[in-house]
Amino acid sequence: MKTSYVAAVLAIAGKDLRVELRSRELLSLMLIFALLSILVFSFALELDRVAREEAVSGVLWVTLIFASLLGLNRSLAQEYDQGNLDALLLAPLSRTAIFIGKFAGNALFTGLVALLLLPLMTALYGKNMLDPRLVLTTLVGIAGFCALGTLMATLTVKTRAREALLPVAMMPLALPFLLTAVRATKGILTNATEWQAWFQLLAGVALIYLVLCLLLFRFVVEE
Amino acid sequence: MPRLLRALTIATVLGFAATLYLGLFAAGTDIQQGAVQRIFYIHMPAFFGAFTAFGLSLFGGIMVLAGKSADWDKLALAGVEVGLAFALINLLTGAIWARPIWNTWWTWDPRLTSAAIMCLTYAAYLMLRAGFDDTERRRTFMSVYSILGFVTVLITLFIIRIVPETIHPVIVGASPQNAQGSFEATSGVMLALAPSLLLWLTLMPITLMWHRYRLEDRLESLNRAKLKALSE
Amino acid sequence: MIDERAIIEVERLSKVFGLLPALQNLDFTVARGEFVLLLGANGSGKSTLLRLLSGLSKPTAGAIRIGGWEMPREAMAIRPHIGLVAHRPLLYENLTARENLSFFGKLYGIEANECDARSQALLQQVGLSRRADSLARAFSRGMKQRLSIARALLHQPDILLLDEPYSGLDQAAAEALDGALATARREARTIILSTHQLQRLPQNAQRALILSRGKVAYDGVARAGEMTAIYQAASA
């Protein structure tokens, strides 16, 4: 009576989506944070138009990463606080299915925030942020970051200082994403050919992290 | 101290003295860069020493997760500490060299950036480690972290092959087009480099890590004795 | 399906947390259909044992065989046969009672129509059918516990593990729990129930297993009315 892999992934991600559509806790929190962050950055950089344009890609990624951290914490806390993770682990499911289910939910929410952010930033910063290459880069970066985040949040959620620990544990490991994603974004915005090299590096890092996190998740949840 | 460790320690000290002599005196002075080029005989081997140490901490992490003895966690810790020390030597010697050659201590070049990320990642390892009381949970967490952290080592190693815009020279193999401060790997250079590289790749990290492992082992038995004394 | 007589076999089972031993060298078997009470003070290792039996944690040493399957290694084969009512309710607060059950039904690969029918029957049984469409977050501790029992029985497990199910329950919830236990007994499910409250023991248990400091201090017949004396003798 083993549950089919895809059905389990869909059930877990679908459950997160249903909870979210009902409460809109996570998405509204992430969105408000993202909007505030964009506004703060644009005020802070307002005086200097050139600096602002230079900083666009950095603003985008810093905002996305912190918004996603907010979501990740809540998403895993919701599994852990009521002991639900145990309930998932009790079911006859592959542990990787649980990981992918949670990861899919997290990536979906962060992806939605990004898709709302890009047109807004196009308007605010006067750059075409809706370039398909840029949308692709954003989604790849988010996928990698959320894979890492899902794993790390599963670890930190069990500790006392989890809200503080997650960013501290995540940021160094996420720097390769930040670095490559910012450079690729900048390359696309300035129409430089080097964006491809950075994009490939970003995709490579995202893939490596995704595979590693998938393999490591089993060890993180089993005691 | 086990006899093998004593032998390793003596060999490491003697080897270090010998490679210093080779690098500082025996090798010829670079015509363009002058004496500062000699720092290279430590700069590059230090990176590879860090590579060995971080690699061993990766291995320790894998063994912990594979359900082997908790002692592997001590190996991982020793690897991170020794590796971080080597990586900092690598950054520091690089900065000293860059001052006269690139005319700056530091630049956000891809290779330098990734090396800095690597150092930060492992510095965070030590900070995170200190933040746990539950040893079992800490072991899992730190093992996962040391495995993921190794990605930054690989990035540092391979970034110049992927992103060619670096100004960092490659001595063995073709340098990137815009590399500044390159020099040729003549037989004289190689004669001083090869022993140093070998020493830093093997003897140095292994000996230091072994000492660090023993220290951690003692700390642990001390804690155990303390716990026992308190519970009685 | 599991059909051996000794459905649970535990051999030289130990669990150590860091330097602290939680369970030491446990040896016992549980026959199919048996109702075992697991007694012991807080920290005696009851929860640890139930977590090990349900596969949520791995033994440090020793073996657990359930229905002939080796516990950590063949856990996937065992999981469909185990239902756990843990101390925490293991429910999603922002889903309704019915949605919670249908979600867990999907995880156990129960076909949707079948799952709806079972949920309906279980909600009826634990007395929650009128609150089936309210969010779990609006439930009292007792109602959550009742829903939690329904969740544990949804996939019709052969073995039902309950960790301190009576703690914090009101009268109605305790009765619902007794009812559910009686039904589970009739359906020949094996039950292991842990508790530290000797004044509130379920009536029809056959056997008691008393843990004291991670060791079995008593293993024998559960005689209603005499458990307090047995317990005090065993843990002294």
Side-chain angles (χ1 to χ4, degrees), chain A residues 137 176-177 179-185 187 193-205, chain B residues 108-111 113 155 159 162-165:
Chain A
T137 306
F177 287 116
L179 174 73
T180 52
V182 166
R183 296 276 183 126
T185 307
T193 48
E194 70 190 36
W195 80 274
Q196 270 178 322
W198 286 109
F199 176 75
Q200 282 164 6
L201 197 56
L202 171 68
V205 174
Chain B
W108 289 105
D109 174 85
R111 179 134 222 202
T113 309
I155 291 175
I159 194 164
I162 303 164
V163 185
E165 63 172 54

PDB file of all heavy atoms in Angstrom, chain A residues 137 176-177 179-185 187 193-205, chain B residues 108-111 113 155 159 162-165:
ATOM      1  N   THR A 137      16.227  33.531 -14.917  1.00  0.00           N
ATOM      2  CA  THR A 137      17.281  33.614 -13.901  1.00  0.00           C
ATOM      3  C   THR A 137      16.674  33.679 -12.500  1.00  0.00           C
ATOM      4  O   THR A 137      17.115  32.994 -11.582  1.00  0.00           O
ATOM      5  CB  THR A 137      18.145  34.866 -14.135  1.00  0.00           C
ATOM      6  OG1 THR A 137      18.611  34.842 -15.477  1.00  0.00           O
ATOM      7  CG2 THR A 137      19.320  34.915 -13.186  1.00  0.00           C
ATOM      8  N   PRO A 176      26.917  31.963  -2.761  1.00  0.00           N
ATOM      9  CA  PRO A 176      27.126  31.619  -4.171  1.00  0.00           C
ATOM     10  C   PRO A 176      25.921  31.956  -5.053  1.00  0.00           C
ATOM     11  O   PRO A 176      26.087  32.380  -6.203  1.00  0.00           O
ATOM     12  CB  PRO A 176      27.371  30.113  -4.132  1.00  0.00           C
ATOM     13  CG  PRO A 176      27.918  29.850  -2.782  1.00  0.00           C
ATOM     14  CD  PRO A 176      27.251  30.838  -1.881  1.00  0.00           C
ATOM     15  N   PHE A 177      24.700  31.787  -4.517  1.00  0.00           N
ATOM     16  CA  PHE A 177      23.512  32.166  -5.295  1.00  0.00           C
ATOM     17  C   PHE A 177      23.471  33.664  -5.496  1.00  0.00           C
ATOM     18  O   PHE A 177      23.252  34.164  -6.588  1.00  0.00           O
ATOM     19  CB  PHE A 177      22.222  31.808  -4.550  1.00  0.00           C
ATOM     20  CG  PHE A 177      21.936  30.367  -4.535  1.00  0.00           C
ATOM     21  CD1 PHE A 177      21.907  29.674  -3.356  1.00  0.00           C
ATOM     22  CD2 PHE A 177      21.693  29.695  -5.722  1.00  0.00           C
ATOM     23  CE1 PHE A 177      21.646  28.336  -3.343  1.00  0.00           C
ATOM     24  CE2 PHE A 177      21.428  28.357  -5.714  1.00  0.00           C
ATOM     25  CZ  PHE A 177      21.407  27.671  -4.517  1.00  0.00           C
ATOM     26  N   LEU A 179      25.785  35.896  -5.316  1.00  0.00           N
ATOM     27  CA  LEU A 179      26.845  36.386  -6.190  1.00  0.00           C
ATOM     28  C   LEU A 179      26.521  36.128  -7.668  1.00  0.00           C
ATOM     29  O   LEU A 179      26.500  37.054  -8.483  1.00  0.00           O
ATOM     30  CB  LEU A 179      28.158  35.686  -5.819  1.00  0.00           C
ATOM     31  CG  LEU A 179      29.347  35.968  -6.711  1.00  0.00           C
ATOM     32  CD1 LEU A 179      29.857  37.372  -6.475  1.00  0.00           C
ATOM     33  CD2 LEU A 179      30.457  34.956  -6.463  1.00  0.00           C
ATOM     34  N   THR A 180      26.221  34.870  -7.992  1.00  0.00           N
ATOM     35  CA  THR A 180      25.997  34.532  -9.400  1.00  0.00           C
ATOM     36  C   THR A 180      24.705  35.143  -9.918  1.00  0.00           C
ATOM     37  O   THR A 180      24.653  35.628 -11.047  1.00  0.00           O
ATOM     38  CB  THR A 180      25.958  33.009  -9.585  1.00  0.00           C
ATOM     39  OG1 THR A 180      25.029  32.459  -8.662  1.00  0.00           O
ATOM     40  CG2 THR A 180      27.305  32.383  -9.344  1.00  0.00           C
ATOM     41  N   ALA A 181      23.661  35.142  -9.081  1.00  0.00           N
ATOM     42  CA  ALA A 181      22.383  35.670  -9.544  1.00  0.00           C
ATOM     43  C   ALA A 181      22.470  37.176  -9.790  1.00  0.00           C
ATOM     44  O   ALA A 181      21.961  37.687 -10.795  1.00  0.00           O
ATOM     45  CB  ALA A 181      21.290  35.355  -8.526  1.00  0.00           C
ATOM     46  N   VAL A 182      23.138  37.888  -8.883  1.00  0.00           N
ATOM     47  CA  VAL A 182      23.265  39.337  -9.047  1.00  0.00           C
ATOM     48  C   VAL A 182      24.062  39.660 -10.314  1.00  0.00           C
ATOM     49  O   VAL A 182      23.669  40.519 -11.108  1.00  0.00           O
ATOM     50  CB  VAL A 182      23.925  39.970  -7.801  1.00  0.00           C
ATOM     51  CG1 VAL A 182      24.376  41.386  -8.092  1.00  0.00           C
ATOM     52  CG2 VAL A 182      22.956  39.955  -6.634  1.00  0.00           C
ATOM     53  N   ARG A 183      25.145  38.913 -10.523  1.00  0.00           N
ATOM     54  CA  ARG A 183      25.965  39.175 -11.717  1.00  0.00           C
ATOM     55  C   ARG A 183      25.190  38.851 -12.991  1.00  0.00           C
ATOM     56  O   ARG A 183      25.258  39.588 -13.970  1.00  0.00           O
ATOM     57  CB  ARG A 183      27.246  38.346 -11.671  1.00  0.00           C
ATOM     58  CG  ARG A 183      28.166  38.699 -10.530  1.00  0.00           C
ATOM     59  CD  ARG A 183      29.055  39.883 -10.862  1.00  0.00           C
ATOM     60  NE  ARG A 183      29.981  40.148  -9.778  1.00  0.00           N
ATOM     61  CZ  ARG A 183      31.302  40.228  -9.929  1.00  0.00           C
ATOM     62  NH1 ARG A 183      31.850  40.104 -11.111  1.00  0.00           N
ATOM     63  NH2 ARG A 183      32.070  40.458  -8.888  1.00  0.00           N
ATOM     64  N   ALA A 184      24.455  37.734 -12.975  1.00  0.00           N
ATOM     65  CA  ALA A 184      23.679  37.375 -14.169  1.00  0.00           C
ATOM     66  C   ALA A 184      22.616  38.427 -14.441  1.00  0.00           C
ATOM     67  O   ALA A 184      22.432  38.876 -15.579  1.00  0.00           O
ATOM     68  CB  ALA A 184      23.038  35.997 -13.981  1.00  0.00           C
ATOM     69  N   THR A 185      21.923  38.867 -13.387  1.00  0.00           N
ATOM     70  CA  THR A 185      20.879  39.873 -13.540  1.00  0.00           C
ATOM     71  C   THR A 185      21.461  41.169 -14.107  1.00  0.00           C
ATOM     72  O   THR A 185      20.912  41.776 -15.035  1.00  0.00           O
ATOM     73  CB  THR A 185      20.220  40.159 -12.175  1.00  0.00           C
ATOM     74  OG1 THR A 185      19.803  38.927 -11.613  1.00  0.00           O
ATOM     75  CG2 THR A 185      19.037  41.077 -12.324  1.00  0.00           C
ATOM     76  N   GLY A 187      24.158  41.472 -15.838  1.00  0.00           N
ATOM     77  CA  GLY A 187      24.531  41.214 -17.225  1.00  0.00           C
ATOM     78  C   GLY A 187      23.341  41.355 -18.165  1.00  0.00           C
ATOM     79  O   GLY A 187      23.436  41.957 -19.232  1.00  0.00           O
ATOM     80  N   THR A 193      27.268  40.136 -22.658  1.00  0.00           N
ATOM     81  CA  THR A 193      27.203  38.715 -23.000  1.00  0.00           C
ATOM     82  C   THR A 193      27.600  37.832 -21.820  1.00  0.00           C
ATOM     83  O   THR A 193      27.266  36.659 -21.788  1.00  0.00           O
ATOM     84  CB  THR A 193      28.138  38.391 -24.181  1.00  0.00           C
ATOM     85  OG1 THR A 193      29.396  38.985 -23.889  1.00  0.00           O
ATOM     86  CG2 THR A 193      27.586  38.904 -25.475  1.00  0.00           C
ATOM     87  N   GLU A 194      28.321  38.412 -20.873  1.00  0.00           N
ATOM     88  CA  GLU A 194      28.820  37.576 -19.774  1.00  0.00           C
ATOM     89  C   GLU A 194      27.703  37.032 -18.888  1.00  0.00           C
ATOM     90  O   GLU A 194      27.953  36.181 -18.042  1.00  0.00           O
ATOM     91  CB  GLU A 194      29.797  38.369 -18.906  1.00  0.00           C
ATOM     92  CG  GLU A 194      29.073  39.437 -18.119  1.00  0.00           C
ATOM     93  CD  GLU A 194      30.009  40.404 -17.434  1.00  0.00           C
ATOM     94  OE1 GLU A 194      31.048  40.705 -18.023  1.00  0.00           O
ATOM     95  OE2 GLU A 194      29.672  40.849 -16.336  1.00  0.00           O
ATOM     96  N   TRP A 195      26.466  37.496 -19.082  1.00  0.00           N
ATOM     97  CA  TRP A 195      25.381  36.980 -18.236  1.00  0.00           C
ATOM     98  C   TRP A 195      25.258  35.474 -18.369  1.00  0.00           C
ATOM     99  O   TRP A 195      24.924  34.790 -17.418  1.00  0.00           O
ATOM    100  CB  TRP A 195      24.049  37.652 -18.568  1.00  0.00           C
ATOM    101  CG  TRP A 195      23.362  37.091 -19.785  1.00  0.00           C
ATOM    102  CD1 TRP A 195      23.566  37.461 -21.065  1.00  0.00           C
ATOM    103  CD2 TRP A 195      22.383  36.046 -19.819  1.00  0.00           C
ATOM    104  NE1 TRP A 195      22.784  36.713 -21.906  1.00  0.00           N
ATOM    105  CE2 TRP A 195      22.036  35.833 -21.163  1.00  0.00           C
ATOM    106  CE3 TRP A 195      21.751  35.266 -18.840  1.00  0.00           C
ATOM    107  CZ2 TRP A 195      21.109  34.874 -21.569  1.00  0.00           C
ATOM    108  CZ3 TRP A 195      20.824  34.313 -19.246  1.00  0.00           C
ATOM    109  CH2 TRP A 195      20.515  34.116 -20.597  1.00  0.00           C
ATOM    110  N   GLN A 196      25.598  34.975 -19.569  1.00  0.00           N
ATOM    111  CA  GLN A 196      25.444  33.538 -19.795  1.00  0.00           C
ATOM    112  C   GLN A 196      26.338  32.715 -18.878  1.00  0.00           C
ATOM    113  O   GLN A 196      25.894  31.733 -18.285  1.00  0.00           O
ATOM    114  CB  GLN A 196      25.759  33.200 -21.246  1.00  0.00           C
ATOM    115  CG  GLN A 196      24.517  33.271 -22.113  1.00  0.00           C
ATOM    116  CD  GLN A 196      24.828  32.991 -23.552  1.00  0.00           C
ATOM    117  OE1 GLN A 196      25.864  33.412 -24.061  1.00  0.00           O
ATOM    118  NE2 GLN A 196      23.935  32.294 -24.203  1.00  0.00           N
ATOM    119  N   ALA A 197      27.600  33.137 -18.770  1.00  0.00           N
ATOM    120  CA  ALA A 197      28.526  32.408 -17.904  1.00  0.00           C
ATOM    121  C   ALA A 197      28.009  32.400 -16.475  1.00  0.00           C
ATOM    122  O   ALA A 197      27.998  31.362 -15.815  1.00  0.00           O
ATOM    123  CB  ALA A 197      29.903  33.046 -17.966  1.00  0.00           C
ATOM    124  N   TRP A 198      27.547  33.576 -16.013  1.00  0.00           N
ATOM    125  CA  TRP A 198      27.041  33.653 -14.642  1.00  0.00           C
ATOM    126  C   TRP A 198      25.766  32.853 -14.474  1.00  0.00           C
ATOM    127  O   TRP A 198      25.534  32.234 -13.438  1.00  0.00           O
ATOM    128  CB  TRP A 198      26.811  35.119 -14.240  1.00  0.00           C
ATOM    129  CG  TRP A 198      28.094  35.830 -13.972  1.00  0.00           C
ATOM    130  CD1 TRP A 198      28.659  36.799 -14.745  1.00  0.00           C
ATOM    131  CD2 TRP A 198      28.983  35.620 -12.886  1.00  0.00           C
ATOM    132  NE1 TRP A 198      29.845  37.207 -14.203  1.00  0.00           N
ATOM    133  CE2 TRP A 198      30.071  36.495 -13.058  1.00  0.00           C
ATOM    134  CE3 TRP A 198      28.967  34.774 -11.784  1.00  0.00           C
ATOM    135  CZ2 TRP A 198      31.129  36.549 -12.162  1.00  0.00           C
ATOM    136  CZ3 TRP A 198      30.022  34.827 -10.900  1.00  0.00           C
ATOM    137  CH2 TRP A 198      31.091  35.710 -11.090  1.00  0.00           C
ATOM    138  N   PHE A 199      24.937  32.889 -15.512  1.00  0.00           N
ATOM    139  CA  PHE A 199      23.692  32.120 -15.428  1.00  0.00           C
ATOM    140  C   PHE A 199      23.978  30.625 -15.332  1.00  0.00           C
ATOM    141  O   PHE A 199      23.371  29.907 -14.539  1.00  0.00           O
ATOM    142  CB  PHE A 199      22.789  32.407 -16.631  1.00  0.00           C
ATOM    143  CG  PHE A 199      21.539  31.568 -16.630  1.00  0.00           C
ATOM    144  CD1 PHE A 199      20.506  31.858 -15.754  1.00  0.00           C
ATOM    145  CD2 PHE A 199      21.419  30.476 -17.470  1.00  0.00           C
ATOM    146  CE1 PHE A 199      19.364  31.069 -15.717  1.00  0.00           C
ATOM    147  CE2 PHE A 199      20.276  29.685 -17.438  1.00  0.00           C
ATOM    148  CZ  PHE A 199      19.247  29.988 -16.566  1.00  0.00           C
ATOM    149  N   GLN A 200      24.956  30.180 -16.148  1.00  0.00           N
ATOM    150  CA  GLN A 200      25.311  28.757 -16.088  1.00  0.00           C
ATOM    151  C   GLN A 200      25.822  28.378 -14.709  1.00  0.00           C
ATOM    152  O   GLN A 200      25.479  27.329 -14.159  1.00  0.00           O
ATOM    153  CB  GLN A 200      26.376  28.432 -17.137  1.00  0.00           C
ATOM    154  CG  GLN A 200      25.793  28.314 -18.528  1.00  0.00           C
ATOM    155  CD  GLN A 200      26.863  28.384 -19.604  1.00  0.00           C
ATOM    156  OE1 GLN A 200      28.048  28.405 -19.306  1.00  0.00           O
ATOM    157  NE2 GLN A 200      26.424  28.429 -20.842  1.00  0.00           N
ATOM    158  N   LEU A 201      26.645  29.258 -14.151  1.00  0.00           N
ATOM    159  CA  LEU A 201      27.182  28.990 -12.815  1.00  0.00           C
ATOM    160  C   LEU A 201      26.048  28.931 -11.793  1.00  0.00           C
ATOM    161  O   LEU A 201      25.991  28.031 -10.946  1.00  0.00           O
ATOM    162  CB  LEU A 201      28.175  30.091 -12.441  1.00  0.00           C
ATOM    163  CG  LEU A 201      29.125  29.783 -11.301  1.00  0.00           C
ATOM    164  CD1 LEU A 201      29.917  28.536 -11.575  1.00  0.00           C
ATOM    165  CD2 LEU A 201      30.075  30.952 -11.087  1.00  0.00           C
ATOM    166  N   LEU A 202      25.114  29.877 -11.923  1.00  0.00           N
ATOM    167  CA  LEU A 202      23.956  29.900 -11.019  1.00  0.00           C
ATOM    168  C   LEU A 202      23.165  28.601 -11.138  1.00  0.00           C
ATOM    169  O   LEU A 202      22.827  27.965 -10.138  1.00  0.00           O
ATOM    170  CB  LEU A 202      23.059  31.093 -11.358  1.00  0.00           C
ATOM    171  CG  LEU A 202      21.703  31.150 -10.645  1.00  0.00           C
ATOM    172  CD1 LEU A 202      21.885  31.414  -9.161  1.00  0.00           C
ATOM    173  CD2 LEU A 202      20.810  32.225 -11.252  1.00  0.00           C
ATOM    174  N   ALA A 203      22.899  28.195 -12.376  1.00  0.00           N
ATOM    175  CA  ALA A 203      22.121  26.978 -12.591  1.00  0.00           C
ATOM    176  C   ALA A 203      22.872  25.769 -12.045  1.00  0.00           C
ATOM    177  O   ALA A 203      22.273  24.879 -11.431  1.00  0.00           O
ATOM    178  CB  ALA A 203      21.818  26.803 -14.077  1.00  0.00           C
ATOM    179  N   GLY A 204      24.194  25.763 -12.243  1.00  0.00           N
ATOM    180  CA  GLY A 204      25.003  24.655 -11.726  1.00  0.00           C
ATOM    181  C   GLY A 204      24.932  24.571 -10.207  1.00  0.00           C
ATOM    182  O   GLY A 204      24.681  23.505  -9.642  1.00  0.00           O
ATOM    183  N   VAL A 205      25.123  25.737  -9.561  1.00  0.00           N
ATOM    184  CA  VAL A 205      25.073  25.766  -8.097  1.00  0.00           C
ATOM    185  C   VAL A 205      23.698  25.327  -7.614  1.00  0.00           C
ATOM    186  O   VAL A 205      23.562  24.522  -6.682  1.00  0.00           O
ATOM    187  CB  VAL A 205      25.397  27.182  -7.570  1.00  0.00           C
ATOM    188  CG1 VAL A 205      25.195  27.259  -6.073  1.00  0.00           C
ATOM    189  CG2 VAL A 205      26.829  27.553  -7.909  1.00  0.00           C
TER     190      VAL A 205
ATOM    191  N   TRP B 108      37.176  42.932  -5.642  1.00  0.00           N
ATOM    192  CA  TRP B 108      36.070  41.956  -5.676  1.00  0.00           C
ATOM    193  C   TRP B 108      36.091  41.160  -6.975  1.00  0.00           C
ATOM    194  O   TRP B 108      35.125  41.091  -7.699  1.00  0.00           O
ATOM    195  CB  TRP B 108      34.726  42.647  -5.445  1.00  0.00           C
ATOM    196  CG  TRP B 108      34.603  43.105  -4.035  1.00  0.00           C
ATOM    197  CD1 TRP B 108      34.707  44.391  -3.586  1.00  0.00           C
ATOM    198  CD2 TRP B 108      34.411  42.297  -2.880  1.00  0.00           C
ATOM    199  NE1 TRP B 108      34.599  44.424  -2.223  1.00  0.00           N
ATOM    200  CE2 TRP B 108      34.405  43.151  -1.762  1.00  0.00           C
ATOM    201  CE3 TRP B 108      34.245  40.920  -2.656  1.00  0.00           C
ATOM    202  CZ2 TRP B 108      34.247  42.690  -0.456  1.00  0.00           C
ATOM    203  CZ3 TRP B 108      34.088  40.472  -1.354  1.00  0.00           C
ATOM    204  CH2 TRP B 108      34.081  41.357  -0.282  1.00  0.00           C
ATOM    205  N   ASP B 109      37.219  40.576  -7.210  1.00  0.00           N
ATOM    206  CA  ASP B 109      37.384  39.685  -8.339  1.00  0.00           C
ATOM    207  C   ASP B 109      36.655  38.365  -8.033  1.00  0.00           C
ATOM    208  O   ASP B 109      36.579  37.971  -6.881  1.00  0.00           O
ATOM    209  CB  ASP B 109      38.890  39.448  -8.481  1.00  0.00           C
ATOM    210  CG  ASP B 109      39.209  38.423  -9.528  1.00  0.00           C
ATOM    211  OD1 ASP B 109      39.298  38.808 -10.688  1.00  0.00           O
ATOM    212  OD2 ASP B 109      39.358  37.236  -9.165  1.00  0.00           O
ATOM    213  N   PRO B 110      36.101  37.677  -9.066  1.00  0.00           N
ATOM    214  CA  PRO B 110      35.344  36.446  -8.785  1.00  0.00           C
ATOM    215  C   PRO B 110      36.111  35.448  -7.917  1.00  0.00           C
ATOM    216  O   PRO B 110      35.570  34.876  -6.982  1.00  0.00           O
ATOM    217  CB  PRO B 110      35.092  35.863 -10.169  1.00  0.00           C
ATOM    218  CG  PRO B 110      35.138  37.012 -11.087  1.00  0.00           C
ATOM    219  CD  PRO B 110      36.078  38.014 -10.480  1.00  0.00           C
ATOM    220  N   ARG B 111      37.396  35.274  -8.202  1.00  0.00           N
ATOM    221  CA  ARG B 111      38.141  34.264  -7.452  1.00  0.00           C
ATOM    222  C   ARG B 111      38.337  34.687  -5.992  1.00  0.00           C
ATOM    223  O   ARG B 111      38.160  33.887  -5.082  1.00  0.00           O
ATOM    224  CB  ARG B 111      39.508  34.064  -8.088  1.00  0.00           C
ATOM    225  CG  ARG B 111      40.306  33.045  -7.331  1.00  0.00           C
ATOM    226  CD  ARG B 111      40.919  32.107  -8.248  1.00  0.00           C
ATOM    227  NE  ARG B 111      40.857  30.753  -7.821  1.00  0.00           N
ATOM    228  CZ  ARG B 111      41.713  29.855  -8.293  1.00  0.00           C
ATOM    229  NH1 ARG B 111      42.630  30.203  -9.156  1.00  0.00           N
ATOM    230  NH2 ARG B 111      41.613  28.618  -7.922  1.00  0.00           N
ATOM    231  N   THR B 113      36.463  36.783  -4.406  1.00  0.00           N
ATOM    232  CA  THR B 113      35.153  36.778  -3.767  1.00  0.00           C
ATOM    233  C   THR B 113      34.786  35.372  -3.315  1.00  0.00           C
ATOM    234  O   THR B 113      34.346  35.167  -2.181  1.00  0.00           O
ATOM    235  CB  THR B 113      34.081  37.291  -4.741  1.00  0.00           C
ATOM    236  OG1 THR B 113      34.529  38.526  -5.282  1.00  0.00           O
ATOM    237  CG2 THR B 113      32.772  37.493  -4.041  1.00  0.00           C
ATOM    238  N   ILE B 155      33.506  25.708  -5.785  1.00  0.00           N
ATOM    239  CA  ILE B 155      33.301  26.916  -6.582  1.00  0.00           C
ATOM    240  C   ILE B 155      34.602  27.703  -6.679  1.00  0.00           C
ATOM    241  O   ILE B 155      35.014  28.142  -7.753  1.00  0.00           O
ATOM    242  CB  ILE B 155      32.185  27.793  -5.982  1.00  0.00           C
ATOM    243  CG1 ILE B 155      30.839  27.096  -6.135  1.00  0.00           C
ATOM    244  CG2 ILE B 155      32.142  29.154  -6.669  1.00  0.00           C
ATOM    245  CD1 ILE B 155      29.699  27.828  -5.458  1.00  0.00           C
ATOM    246  N   ILE B 159      35.923  28.306 -10.307  1.00  0.00           N
ATOM    247  CA  ILE B 159      35.238  29.499 -10.814  1.00  0.00           C
ATOM    248  C   ILE B 159      35.981  30.125 -11.996  1.00  0.00           C
ATOM    249  O   ILE B 159      35.352  30.578 -12.950  1.00  0.00           O
ATOM    250  CB  ILE B 159      34.991  30.529  -9.692  1.00  0.00           C
ATOM    251  CG1 ILE B 159      33.979  31.574 -10.171  1.00  0.00           C
ATOM    252  CG2 ILE B 159      36.273  31.194  -9.230  1.00  0.00           C
ATOM    253  CD1 ILE B 159      33.372  32.385  -9.065  1.00  0.00           C
ATOM    254  N   ILE B 162      35.046  28.798 -15.304  1.00  0.00           N
ATOM    255  CA  ILE B 162      33.692  29.080 -15.781  1.00  0.00           C
ATOM    256  C   ILE B 162      33.523  30.559 -16.094  1.00  0.00           C
ATOM    257  O   ILE B 162      32.978  30.935 -17.115  1.00  0.00           O
ATOM    258  CB  ILE B 162      32.652  28.651 -14.726  1.00  0.00           C
ATOM    259  CG1 ILE B 162      32.834  27.171 -14.405  1.00  0.00           C
ATOM    260  CG2 ILE B 162      31.246  28.885 -15.236  1.00  0.00           C
ATOM    261  CD1 ILE B 162      32.146  26.733 -13.141  1.00  0.00           C
ATOM    262  N   VAL B 163      34.009  31.412 -15.195  1.00  0.00           N
ATOM    263  CA  VAL B 163      33.873  32.848 -15.406  1.00  0.00           C
ATOM    264  C   VAL B 163      35.257  33.414 -15.704  1.00  0.00           C
ATOM    265  O   VAL B 163      36.080  33.564 -14.809  1.00  0.00           O
ATOM    266  CB  VAL B 163      33.297  33.526 -14.149  1.00  0.00           C
ATOM    267  CG1 VAL B 163      33.055  34.988 -14.426  1.00  0.00           C
ATOM    268  CG2 VAL B 163      32.011  32.846 -13.744  1.00  0.00           C
ATOM    269  N   PRO B 164      35.537  33.689 -16.962  1.00  0.00           N
ATOM    270  CA  PRO B 164      36.902  34.034 -17.342  1.00  0.00           C
ATOM    271  C   PRO B 164      37.301  35.476 -17.047  1.00  0.00           C
ATOM    272  O   PRO B 164      38.415  35.861 -17.360  1.00  0.00           O
ATOM    273  CB  PRO B 164      36.911  33.754 -18.846  1.00  0.00           C
ATOM    274  CG  PRO B 164      35.505  33.881 -19.276  1.00  0.00           C
ATOM    275  CD  PRO B 164      34.620  33.671 -18.088  1.00  0.00           C
ATOM    276  N   GLU B 165      36.463  36.270 -16.399  1.00  0.00           N
ATOM    277  CA  GLU B 165      36.794  37.685 -16.257  1.00  0.00           C
ATOM    278  C   GLU B 165      37.724  37.980 -15.078  1.00  0.00           C
ATOM    279  O   GLU B 165      37.959  39.116 -14.729  1.00  0.00           O
ATOM    280  CB  GLU B 165      35.517  38.523 -16.098  1.00  0.00           C
ATOM    281  CG  GLU B 165      34.749  38.165 -14.846  1.00  0.00           C
ATOM    282  CD  GLU B 165      33.589  39.126 -14.592  1.00  0.00           C
ATOM    283  OE1 GLU B 165      32.746  39.314 -15.481  1.00  0.00           O
ATOM    284  OE2 GLU B 165      33.542  39.685 -13.497  1.00  0.00           O
TER     285      GLU B 165
END
